[in-house]
């Protein structure tokens, strides 16, 4: 029986798209394409290698497990973990030298305890700028900034 639907990815078109994005945003802007969920079903490792070879700077994944798969495959590019982390994953994130998207300021002390002067844990704050979907409310960020 033939499948009713399928998808084919053109490697040439994907390379072209990365090069085009690079031209549009310029050299000073980092490109971090999402390869989460097995690169949306297209293969985490082949898609990641192709995107990096075409000019992507970083890779974005959903979880530490995906970052581990990339590191085990010798991918050395920076990796940004977009999804939430369990406390039990903090050490692995540090060991893998990934960057974490943080949408909750209350998690900072636990993450700070994991990082060290030799191997700091890079954290990117996700700020909700108005869509009310995810991230730290801008008012909370401003309030914490004033407390310093």
């Amino acid at each position: 029986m033939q499948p009713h639907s399928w998808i084919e990815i053109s490697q040439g078109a994907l390379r072209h798209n990365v090069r085009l994005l690079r031209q549009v945003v310029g050299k000073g802007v980092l490109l971090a394409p999402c390869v989460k969920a097995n690169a949306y079903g297209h293969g985490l490792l082949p898609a990641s290698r192709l995107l990096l070879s075409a000019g992507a700077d970083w890779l974005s994944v959903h979880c530490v497990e995906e970052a581990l798969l990339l590191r085990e495959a010798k991918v050395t590019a920076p990796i940004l973990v977009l999804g939430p982390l369990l406390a039990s994953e903090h050490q692995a994130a540090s060991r893998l030298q990934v960057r974490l998207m943080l949408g909750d300021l209350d998690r900072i002390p636990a993450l700070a305890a994991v990082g060290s002067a030799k191997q700091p844990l890079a954290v990117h704050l996700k700020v909700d700028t108005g869509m009310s979907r995810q991230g730290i409310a801008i008012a909370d960020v401003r309030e914490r900034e004033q407390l310093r």
Side-chain angles (χ1 to χ4, degrees):
M1 176 180 273
Q2 292 286 334
H4 294 286
S5 61
W6 67 92
I7 189 165
E8 294 179 17
I9 303 298
S10 165
Q11 292 182 7
L14 195 53
R15 280 190 189 90
H16 170 77
N17 290 346
V18 172
R19 286 192 298 267
L20 184 61
L21 282 171
R22 173 60 64 212
Q23 287 176 343
V24 170
V25 300
K27 292 182 180 180
V29 175
L30 296 173
L31 290 179
C34 285
V35 291
K36 61 185 183 174
N38 194 30
Y40 298 93
H42 306 304
L44 177 68
L45 296 177
S48 296
R49 289 184 175 121
L50 188 138
L51 290 163
L52 290 168
S53 72
D57 301 295
W58 295 11
L59 296 169
S60 299
V61 297
H62 177 71
C63 59
V64 171
E65 184 179 347
E66 292 170 327
L68 176 62
L69 292 172
L70 290 169
R71 291 293 189 240
E72 287 176 342
K74 308 293 187 234
V75 173
T76 59
I79 299 170
L80 178 62
V81 177
L82 300 171
L85 258 68
L86 300 172
S88 61
E89 295 174 313
H90 292 177
Q91 289 292 341
S94 178
R95 189 180 68 255
L96 295 170
Q97 297 181 346
V98 298
R99 300 157 191 272
L100 306 175
M101 183 70 67
L102 186 62
D104 177 3
L105 292 172
D106 295 333
R107 307 274 307 209
I108 291 175
L111 292 171
V114 173
S116 69
K118 285 185 175 181
Q119 191 172 5
L121 195 53
V123 176
H124 299 256
L125 293 180
K126 181 171 183 65
V127 177
D128 180 355
T129 58
M131 289 187 65
S132 301
R133 285 186 55 218
Q134 299 174 341
I136 304 160
I138 192 76
D140 290 344
V141 174
R142 287 183 180 136
E143 179 182 319
R144 296 264 179 131
E145 184 64 28
Q146 291 173 357
L147 294 176
R148 286 189 195 200

